[in-house]
Amino acid sequence: MKRNNTLTKSEFLLEHLFWMIVTWLWYKNILFRCVGNYSFTESKIIFLLVLGMACILGILCNIKKDRNDFSVFFNIVTGYGLYTVLTYFQIQRNLIITVLSITVSLSIVIGCYIMQRQIKRRNYFRKTIRSAILTIAGATQRIMGLGFLVILIVAGGNFLFGSSIIQSSVKPSVTSDSYNQLLSESAETIALLDEDSWSSITVQEKAGVLQKIANLERSNLGISNELNVCVANLEEEGLWGYYDDSTHEIVIDMDLLLNGSVQDSLRCLVHEAFHSFEHRMVDLYEETDVSNKNLWIFRKVNIYAEELAHYNDGEDAYSDYYEQQCEIDARDYAEERIEFYESLIDQSVE
């Protein structure tokens, strides 16, 4: 049996521990999700059990003849991959089924090939079977590890270029299209805002619908920048979404799209879109000559400028966040637009 040991046993174990800690910091901030209805703490325990079992099984298989960095890598990737499959199956169903089908098929084909070669080479049947099983297990581990790596890269790859786990196929608008024109072209999109239709489409499709609505809101508010709709795992309890003006991103919580109502998802979107409008109003205010800053049109904008510069997220008291003028106006705008879209949905149903 050929040995590929480049690490001592203690080094092999320490490498697993080191990379488990380092990769957890990356995974927790990007891909970690709670399992079903389990709490954050319970989900972390499940995650540690899955990762720990994958690494322990990998260590037991590799400790004699494959103590190297490749084994460490595949053992850890397998643990993360298994947990990702568990928590993202509903979200990335097609990707996961396709990748796992390919890897399982390849493992079976390669396993049969290895078994055939081993039987031809050896005369002692018991040793042949034992050697073949160990070789097949190693090959299967590598193939499945590569499959899990693909799932991790695709699931988290979008995050490297923004805040989004789910990438919408709809592009944010960067043109000055007429609001009435966009509205007339949005009949099919608005029809999907019906609760029954909304519950029947995937998360990716929901993200696409919200991006189209964001394009419409951008035109309605006259915002010069694009509005990028992103879907991410927001760990803060009760946080549906937020607006980041540095990237023009409206980031919406994954669980809101999975389990929330269409009204709440839409309310979050238009609320955050209004925050982008507030930022542009502040830009205009700051660029205006001092002699014109007391104009009535700028009276609220002056308040926006102060609040956005010293934004209160309600960490000490929720009322400090809730009673900010920028939040009051965003809520009022959201309710107005919810009524507007509901009237359009009623018309489409009729």
Side-chain angles (χ1 to χ4, degrees), residues 102-121:
I102 292 173
T103 53
V104 169
S105 298
L106 281 174
S107 299
I108 293 173
V109 171
I110 292 175
C112 292
Y113 174 75
I114 291 173
M115 181 67 77
Q116 181 187 25
R117 287 177 60 85
Q118 291 284 2
I119 291 174
K120 285 183 177 181
R121 287 182 177 181

Side-chain angles (χ1 to χ4, degrees), residues 172-231:
S173 173
V174 293
T175 62
S176 55
D177 294 332
S178 164
Y179 170 71
N180 289 332
Q181 177 187 343
L182 285 176
L183 185 59
S184 65
E185 296 171 353
S186 303
E188 292 184 6
T189 299
I190 291 172
L192 292 173
L193 296 176
D194 175 70
E195 193 66 58
D196 292 335
S197 300
W198 183 258
S199 61
S200 67
I201 60 178
T202 66
V203 174
Q204 288 91 340
E205 291 170 331
K206 290 177 181 178
V209 170
L210 293 182
Q211 181 63 70
K212 289 182 179 179
I213 297 299
N215 294 344
L216 190 59
E217 288 300 308
R218 171 183 175 268
S219 179
N220 181 51
L221 291 165
I223 301 171
S224 56
N225 56 267
E226 79 283 7
L227 293 175
N228 301 291
V229 175
C230 301
V231 182

Side-chain angles (χ1 to χ4, degrees), residues 273-289:
F274 193 81
H275 283 323
S276 181
F277 168 77
E278 291 170 336
H279 278 278
R280 299 294 72 78
M281 288 295 290
V282 170
D283 289 345
L284 179 62
Y285 173 77
E286 292 176 346
E287 294 169 3
T288 299
D289 187 86

